[in-house]
Structures are given as structure tokens and as C-alpha cells.
Amino acid sequence: MTSKRLLKDIEFIVELDKMKSILRQTSLIDNSKRENDAEHSWHISVMAMILSEYANEDIDLCKVIRMLLVHDLVEIYAGDTFCYDKEGNKDKKERELEAADKIFGMLEEDKGRELRNLWDEFEEMKTKEAIFAASMDRLQPFFNNYFSGGGTWKKFDVSKKEVYKRIAPLKESSDELWEFTQKMIEDAFDKGYITRE
Amino acid sequence: MTSKRLLKDIEFIVELDKMKSILRQTSLIDNSKRENDAEHSWHISVMAMILSEYANEDIDLCKVIRMLLVHDLVEIYAGDTFCYDKEGNKDKKERELEAADKIFGMLEEDKGRELRNLWDEFEEMKTKEAIFAASMDRLQPFFNNYFSGGGTWKKFDVSKKEVYKRIAPLKESSDELWEFTQKMIEDAFDKGYITRE
């Protein structure tokens, strides 16, 4: 007899497949297509492995990765809300909380709770792991914009001030990455990838 | 001054973006498109989080996840070789070893070595973590085939014997998952998703 617990796990795993169809605004660096949530979640998880050595504090890398792997699952139901979309961000929290109940509620209580705790911690952005995870989440589209020649900065006429605000968690998580990122923002401005102050 | 080390890391992270364009034979469960390496790597990493409790032995989940996140990086240069493609599998090892030197060689020696060790361990499939990781790598396309009504089994007329052979690592890694998987194979045969013995 297959346990009810395992059957729920399988249903959850099947549901995860939908992440491959949730499009984000960010495009690939070669500009061939927009990336989706599954691709983004993978990219930032590997980035955490590569960049964790630059964290100002000792961080639990495994926790950061587990957080990043599930941080966007709510978008299966709530959709992707573009970070610079003021209108969409008004009810984002509400939509995502509802989606969190739904997606994590698919699993047995203890298991759903474990993933929900990771998501809550990520969203609250208070622990050093959550702040580092947020830094990866923001740095990846930043790189894709920069190395594709402007990306969503250009497309949506995002200001330098808005870019600085978005990337702010890095300031707290890593001096070395923050220093480098600042240079990139100024360079992006000089190159015309960002056109407004 | 940005360190040479960090510059190499950034180049590596930019290169990772190509994983989003390496198509696998497996399609999404809704049959809307073929999945790519980034999506696949993400899906199996979350699966490891969900299914590790069924492992026969205590495993280091963090190691399994790190292994899964990088196990397909060589395909950036070697391409995806379909598991049931006898011709392509003849020189797969050679092509992938060359690709491994290239991709992991982008990083500083110690860092490249760390990822290379994870890849080597995965490929050798000897440790309990590598066997569990391989199980996830094989179970995900198995689920996608089953829940999409046949997938690559049907498309490439794969036999039941071949499916059993491909999924064999599960037999070693988890009694509960193996039992469930066997039922699914027999059911897939009954349903006509797999047509040859």
C-alpha cells in the first residue's frame, strides 16, 4: 500500500512542473526568451554556492539554498509580480499568502510547515540567511540586465535610484559584492542601460 | 579593486545562463514544451528535499542538492544525450569529461575542484548520496512521462525492460519509492504508455 503521505508528495512534485511556465520579466542574457521561475530558482541556487564565500557573516548555505529553491512556489497560483510594477505590488502580499496556504497545504502538515517556514523566513528578510538569499534573488536579474545590454531596466525605463533600492540587501550581506555591484550600476548608467537618475 | 577570483565567479554565473537553452527530450506534464536543463535541475533539487525522508539510509541532503544543482553543467558544451540514445551514449563520457574540464576550469582551482568533485561523485554513482541523487534525476522524467500519458516512452518506443533498467538506482536508494515506482511501470504498461515488454 502506498502511503497517503507519499501520494501527497507525488501530487506536489507534479504541481511543481508548473513553475516551468511562470514567466518572469527578465530575459536570458542572449535575449532569446524570457526566463521562467524554475530556471531563475535554479540559477540563484547555484549562485549561492558560488558566492557564499563573500558573505560578511558565516551563513548556513544549505538553508539558503533550500530557501531559494522554494521561494517562488507561491507564484504557481499568484503569478510573477514584476518588482518595479507599483500597481501589481499593492495586493502582492495578499495574493501570495493565499497561494502559500494552497501550495504548502498540499503536503502533510509537518512537511508543509517546514517549507512554509523557509518561505516565511525568506519573505521576512530578517535572518542573515534570508538577507543573503534575497541578495542572490536580486543579483541574478541584475546580472541578466547588465550583460544583455539593459534588459528590463531599459524596457521599463527604471531609474538608477530604483535599481539601488532593489539591490539594497547586498549592502548588508556582502561588502565585496556590494562594492562590485555599485561599480556595475554606475557603469550601466554610463553605458546608457539605465537612463534616469 | 575587484578580485580576479570574483571576476571569474561572475563569468561562470553568466555562463550558467546557457543551461536555460539546453533542451532535454522530456516534455512538461502539460505537453506544452520540452524542458531544459535548468528547469530539470531545479525540479530534481526540490524533489530531493521532498523525498529524502524515504531514503533507506541517512543521507546528507545538502550534498545531494549541491550535486543535483551542478550535475548537468557539462551539457553546456557536451549537449544533452538522451538516455535511450545508444549511438549518442557511445562517446558521451569523452565529450562530458572534456566539457567538465572547460566549465569547472572557469573557476579558481579550489572552487572548480569542489564542483568537479561533486560532479565526479555523481557520475561514479557509488556513495549513498550519489545513488539517491541519481534516483531523483531518473524519477523526474519518469513522472513527467507517466503523468503526460507516455512522453518519451511512447515517442521513442521504449520497452518496459529499458524503463526498469533506467530507474534501477531507486531499488538501492529507497524501498518505499521503489515499490511505488514498480506499480507505476506496470500501470503504464497496462495503460499503453509503454507498449513493448
Side-chain angles (χ1 to χ4, degrees):
Chain A
M1 257 297 281
T2 306
S3 69
K4 202 179 108 207
R5 185 172 178 88
L6 177 54
L7 288 176
K8 283 187 175 185
D9 291 335
I10 309 286
E11 273 174 45
F12 181 80
I13 287 166
V14 167
E15 197 71 354
L16 294 178
D17 212 49
K18 294 180 180 166
M19 285 279 280
K20 302 168 190 171
S21 303
I22 314 277
L23 284 184
R24 295 164 44 81
Q25 289 297 341
T26 307
S27 288
L28 299 203
I29 291 169
D30 67 7
N31 278 309
S32 59
K33 61 171 185 176
R34 278 162 64 190
E35 65 173 4
N36 60 53
D37 273 351
E39 294 167 334
H40 162 70
S41 300
W42 170 77
H43 205 167
I44 58 179
S45 299
V46 187
M47 279 175 63
M49 284 172 67
I50 300 298
L51 300 177
S52 62
E53 69 173 71
Y54 303 105
N56 291 338
E57 293 183 82
D58 268 346
I59 52 169
D60 176 349
L61 173 62
C62 191
K63 196 193 210 181
V64 170
I65 292 175
R66 288 187 304 131
M67 226 180 252
L68 289 173
L69 286 171
V70 302
H71 84 292
D72 268 344
L73 289 187
V74 294
E75 298 191 359
I76 290 175
Y77 309 120
D80 178 61
T81 309
F82 184 46
C83 61
Y84 298 113
D85 169 13
K86 288 193 183 98
E87 201 51 44
N89 276 286
K90 277 182 187 164
D91 65 344
K92 183 183 178 224
K93 193 77 209 167
E94 200 184 314
R95 282 184 288 115
E96 293 196 344
L97 281 171
E98 209 175 300
D101 289 343
K102 191 170 167 187
I103 188 74
F104 301 123
M106 287 182 75
L107 295 163
E108 287 281 287
E109 209 280 332
D110 62 315
K111 214 158 183 172
R113 172 54 48 201
E114 194 193 318
L115 297 200
R116 175 63 180 256
N117 285 348
L118 286 169
W119 184 72
D120 285 342
E121 185 174 337
F122 178 84
E123 285 294 304
E124 283 161 15
M125 226 209 289
K126 282 180 186 160
T127 64
K128 57 190 180 177
E129 279 81 16
I131 296 167
F132 191 82
S135 302
M136 298 301 104
D137 186 37
R138 289 158 192 223
L139 196 53
Q140 184 263 330
F142 178 95
F143 283 157
N144 278 46
N145 282 344
Y146 181 89
F147 291 106
S148 66
T152 59
W153 296 333
K154 230 173 180 171
K155 191 172 172 191
F156 297 99
D157 194 24
V158 177
S159 71
K160 195 160 85 171
K161 196 176 157 192
E162 286 171 303
V163 175
Y164 267 109
K165 192 179 164 194
R166 182 71 192 156
I167 208 77
L170 260 178
K171 197 173 178 173
E172 211 172 323
S173 65
S174 165
D175 291 341
E176 191 161 351
L177 295 178
W178 173 244
E179 196 196 324
F180 183 66
T181 309
Q182 276 179 290
K183 279 189 214 160
M184 283 179 79
I185 296 176
E186 294 308 323
D187 189 53
F189 191 74
D190 292 343
K191 286 192 162 91
Y193 300 164
I194 299 168
T195 56
R196 287 192 300 125
E197 277 283 354
Chain B
M1 256 296 280
T2 306
S3 69
K4 201 179 107 204
R5 186 172 177 88
L6 177 55
L7 289 176
K8 284 187 175 185
D9 290 336
I10 310 286
E11 273 174 45
F12 182 80
I13 287 165
V14 167
E15 196 72 353
L16 294 179
D17 213 49
K18 294 181 180 166
M19 285 279 280
K20 301 167 189 173
S21 301
I22 314 277
L23 285 184
R24 294 163 46 80
Q25 289 296 342
T26 307
S27 288
L28 300 203
I29 291 170
D30 67 6
N31 279 310
S32 59
K33 60 171 185 176
R34 279 162 64 189
E35 66 173 5
N36 61 51
D37 273 350
E39 295 168 331
H40 162 70
S41 300
W42 169 78
H43 204 167
I44 58 179
S45 299
V46 187
M47 279 175 64
M49 286 172 68
I50 301 298
L51 300 178
S52 61
E53 68 174 75
Y54 302 107
N56 290 339
E57 292 183 82
D58 269 347
I59 52 169
D60 176 347
L61 174 61
C62 192
K63 194 194 213 181
V64 170
I65 293 174
R66 289 187 304 129
M67 224 180 257
L68 289 173
L69 286 171
V70 302
H71 84 292
D72 268 344
L73 290 187
V74 294
E75 298 190 358
I76 291 176
Y77 308 121
D80 178 60
T81 310
F82 184 46
C83 61
Y84 299 113
D85 169 13
K86 288 194 184 99
E87 201 51 44
N89 275 285
K90 279 184 189 163
D91 65 343
K92 184 183 178 223
K93 193 75 208 169
E94 197 184 315
R95 283 184 288 115
E96 293 196 345
L97 280 171
E98 208 176 301
D101 288 344
K102 190 170 169 188
I103 188 74
F104 301 124
M106 288 183 74
L107 297 162
E108 288 280 289
E109 208 280 331
D110 62 316
K111 216 160 184 173
R113 170 58 43 203
E114 193 191 320
L115 297 200
R116 174 65 182 255
N117 285 348
L118 285 169
W119 184 71
D120 284 343
E121 185 174 337
F122 178 83
E123 286 293 305
E124 282 161 15
M125 227 209 288
K126 282 181 185 157
T127 64
K128 57 191 180 178
E129 279 80 15
I131 297 167
F132 192 81
S135 301
M136 297 300 103
D137 185 38
R138 290 159 190 222
L139 196 53
Q140 184 263 331
F142 178 95
F143 283 157
N144 278 46
N145 282 343
Y146 182 90
F147 291 107
S148 66
T152 58
W153 296 332
K154 230 173 178 170
K155 192 173 172 193
F156 298 99
D157 194 24
V158 178
S159 70
K160 194 161 86 171
K161 197 176 155 193
E162 287 171 304
V163 175
Y164 267 109
K165 192 179 163 195
R166 181 73 192 154
I167 208 76
L170 260 178
K171 197 171 178 175
E172 211 172 324
S173 66
S174 166
D175 291 341
E176 192 161 350
L177 295 179
W178 173 243
E179 194 195 327
F180 183 66
T181 309
Q182 277 180 289
K183 279 189 214 160
M184 283 179 79
I185 297 176
E186 295 307 322
D187 190 52
F189 191 74
D190 292 343
K191 285 191 163 94
Y193 301 165
I194 299 167
T195 55
R196 287 192 299 126
E197 278 283 358

